[in-house]
């Protein structure tokens, strides 16, 4: 994939990203990414008990957002969160904060990977922003609102979990992009 000439700060970049909604192939691929992400959300691997588990849905979401950009990525994040909740809510009430996190993650993946070569540095930056911004900062707010133990409790546990998972997630994304990019070219 070639490095794009468009800057994220240019109106042309956002027109191009928005135009992806009119491409039927892109929308079909986004639907496939949503379906794969929902299936992968239901198949976590538990590392150290129930609190430390790895989901593989971030791999297909990152790949999809690299292909179709931040606008479609936000929509895909909303669909993945909403349909995923409907299929596996386990009796829990719906909480819209997680929808915000999913939409924001699709936006971040899309904004940093769309029309860009997925270099190691870029993947590390994406995972840092998502792990610490979305998962730790926002996730702690949502858990404190839902379960009431206090923000700092969830912040520290989220910080440990996301710091532990960061190198694993970066490595998996690098490997996945190396395998998928030749097929997408």
């Amino acid at each position: 994939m070639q490095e794009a000439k468009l800057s994220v700060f240019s109106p042309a970049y956002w027109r191009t990203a928005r135009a992806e909604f009119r491409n039927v192939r892109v929308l079909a691929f986004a639907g496939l990414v949503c379906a794969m992400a929902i299936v992968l959300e239901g198949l976590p691997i538990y590392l150290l008990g129930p609190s430390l588990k790895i989901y593989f849905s971030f791999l297909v979401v990152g790949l999809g957002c690299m292909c179709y950009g931040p606008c479609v990525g936000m929509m895909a994040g909303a669909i993945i969160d909403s349909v995923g909740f409907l299929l596996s809510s386990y009796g829990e009430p719906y909480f819209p904060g997680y929808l915000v996190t999913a939409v924001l993650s699709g936006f971040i993946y899309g904004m940093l990977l769309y029309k860009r070569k997925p270099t190691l540095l870029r993947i590390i930056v994406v995972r840092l922003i998502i792990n610490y911004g979305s998962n730790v900062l926002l996730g702690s707010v949502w858990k404190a609102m839902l379960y009431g133990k206090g923000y700092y409790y969830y912040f520290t546990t989220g910080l440990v979990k996301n710091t532990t998972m960061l190198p694993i997630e970066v490595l998996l994304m690098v490997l996945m992009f190396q395998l998928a990019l030749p097929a997408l070219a």
Side-chain angles (χ1 to χ4, degrees), residues 18-146:
R18 193 180 64 232
E20 297 290 4
F21 279 113
R22 288 183 249 136
N23 186 334
V24 175
R25 291 178 61 174
V26 165
L27 295 178
F29 181 62
L32 181 63
V33 166
C34 289
M36 289 174 27
I38 290 166
V39 168
L40 290 173
E41 278 288 319
L43 303 169
I45 292 180
Y46 295 93
L47 298 175
L48 296 171
S51 64
L52 188 58
K53 54 191 167 196
I54 185 167
Y55 293 98
F56 294 101
S57 58
F58 72 93
L59 294 170
V60 294
V61 171
L63 180 67
C65 290
M66 183 190 74
C67 295
Y68 48 63
C71 297
V72 176
M74 291 188 305
M75 178 205 61
I79 291 169
I80 292 166
D81 181 72
S82 301
V83 174
F85 171 79
L86 291 173
L87 293 177
S88 61
S89 64
Y90 305 113
E92 301 243 346
Y94 179 75
F95 184 70
Y98 292 118
L99 174 69
V100 172
T101 301
V103 168
L104 185 61
S105 293
F107 177 75
I108 292 166
Y109 277 126
M111 196 171 77
L112 295 176
L113 296 175
Y114 180 60
K115 302 279 186 189
R116 306 276 189 271
K117 183 177 182 183
T119 62
L120 176 62
L121 179 62
R122 193 173 306 259
I123 292 169
I124 290 171
V125 168
V126 166
R127 288 309 316 167
L128 283 170
I129 293 170
I130 289 176
N131 280 26
Y132 296 116
S134 293
N135 298 349
V136 175
L137 294 177
L138 278 179
S140 300
V141 171
W142 308 147
K143 287 178 182 173
M145 290 171 72
L146 281 171

